[in-house]
Amino acid sequence: MRTVLVTGPGGAGRTTLAAATALAAARKGARALLLTTESSAPETVLGTSLGAEAPTPIAPGLHARRIDPGDRFRQEFLAFQERAGAALDLLGAAPLDEDELTELPGSEDFALLQALRAEHASDAWDTVVVDMPSAAETIRLLALPNQVRRYLRRLLPPERQAARALRPVLAQLAGVPMPAQKLYEAAQRWETELSAVQRVIDDPGTSVRLVTEAGPVAAANLRAIRAGLALHGRRTDGVVVNRLLPTGSADPFLAALSGSQQTALKALREEFPDVPVHEVPHLGHDPQGVDELDALIDGPAGETVDTGTGNTGTADTGEGGDHDRNGETAGRRPDPWTVEDRLATDGLLVWRVPLPGAERRGLGLVRRGDEIVVTVGRFRRIRTLPSVLRRCTVSGAGLRDGVLEIRFSPDPDLWPKSD
């Protein structure tokens, strides 16, 4: 299944282009679904109201669904209350009613990821297009499953369940389920759900598409976004430049605006030499309804919203390249963070981290035990060192041609000694 995550700076028209991308897939015979958390903009673009319970038919082959984060939060919280009922009774806590629950900050992110996982598992679609939040939020959202899994492993290490066999006995004596058991059961449920979400994000058919307008700061903004996506191993399959004015206008005002756009467009092509940069003309108004979205598909740049089938580039396989608990790595791309052996020539091992768009200013690197923390501008990632690098010390690092090279020297106290 093909999954296209459409994002970009706020106000660039990503909802419109996400809808057009899904429509383009449907026009080519695919079973296409558009997922969104927005309430009014997608309905205006598509020209019809959307349901939250089930996908709404929009056009032949195309469905759309609006995710209601508030409803999912209420259902999840009520289910948690029911599971923890005995412990809450012991504490004398009064349960909350459904009508007094409102979602907490961050619940929209989890609702979107859960909906994507569920639709991916349904096998009902050939293409799922997701109208994502703004680019910076999208990067953090795509990093969320691995980050939460790391927190769970630190706070509730699985090896501490060794005495689990005694808990039923203790629970019988106490008359209520032991809190620790409930914590580990909840952690296991979260781990299972987050692992499923991570598999969708890491799937070879999943990519990110950036939507932007051609302005003087577009290239600089997208450079930081590209670096953040690369830090987390996310693949960018294209940059869509929206609302381009026609060239050659006799009106001096329009000619100046068009010239400025063409200059920005040239800068974007130079910034993304290995990524297709597509152009979408300005229609003179905001598209509303399927017929007007067709104008974006059938216009001069008809390939703009093509969902594509090629899977070039790479994405990471998870924290430190670790397998899931069941050991499965099928359906994932190779880890782009590769270790280069230079022991014979330089006495070093080099961890190569592709970071196109990154600049030395704002680049940070810290080792904490068996983990390394890489900061690129406002984005940060923590990775577990591969086993061979845990027996080494960091001896230096450098950014060259969009690749961060972290140099490791074998630690004499930990490195195997030859006879």
Side-chain angles (χ1 to χ4, degrees), residues 1-4 202-209 235-237 307-315 331-334:
M1 192 182 82
R2 188 78 171 88
T3 304
V4 184
D202 291 339
D203 190 276
T206 298
S207 63
V208 177
R209 187 162 303 180
R235 179 170 70 91
T236 304
D237 71 3
T307 53
T309 55
N311 292 319
T312 59
T314 58
R332 295 192 176 193
R333 300 186 188 93

Side-chain angles (χ1 to χ4, degrees), residues 80-93 175-179 182:
F80 166 76
Q81 273 195 159
E82 184 176 349
R83 288 193 299 266
L88 292 174
D89 288 343
L90 182 68
L91 296 172
V176 295
M178 295 300 290
K182 288 295 183 182

Side-chain angles (χ1 to χ4, degrees), residues 129-141:
V129 180
V130 187
D131 177 20
M132 300 291 287
S134 64
E137 293 178 41
T138 290
I139 293 170
R140 296 187 182 98
L141 175 57

Side-chain angles (χ1 to χ4, degrees), residues 7-10 133-139 208-212 217-232 234 236 239 271-272 356-358 376-379:
T7 186
S134 64
E137 293 178 41
T138 290
I139 293 170
V208 177
R209 187 162 303 180
L210 297 175
V211 177
T212 184
V217 297
N221 285 342
L222 290 189
R223 184 182 304 122
I225 291 168
R226 187 187 190 195
L229 288 168
L231 175 65
H232 293 284
R234 306 279 68 89
T236 304
V239 176
E271 182 65 36
F272 293 86
V376 180
R378 52 184 165 170
F379 305 108

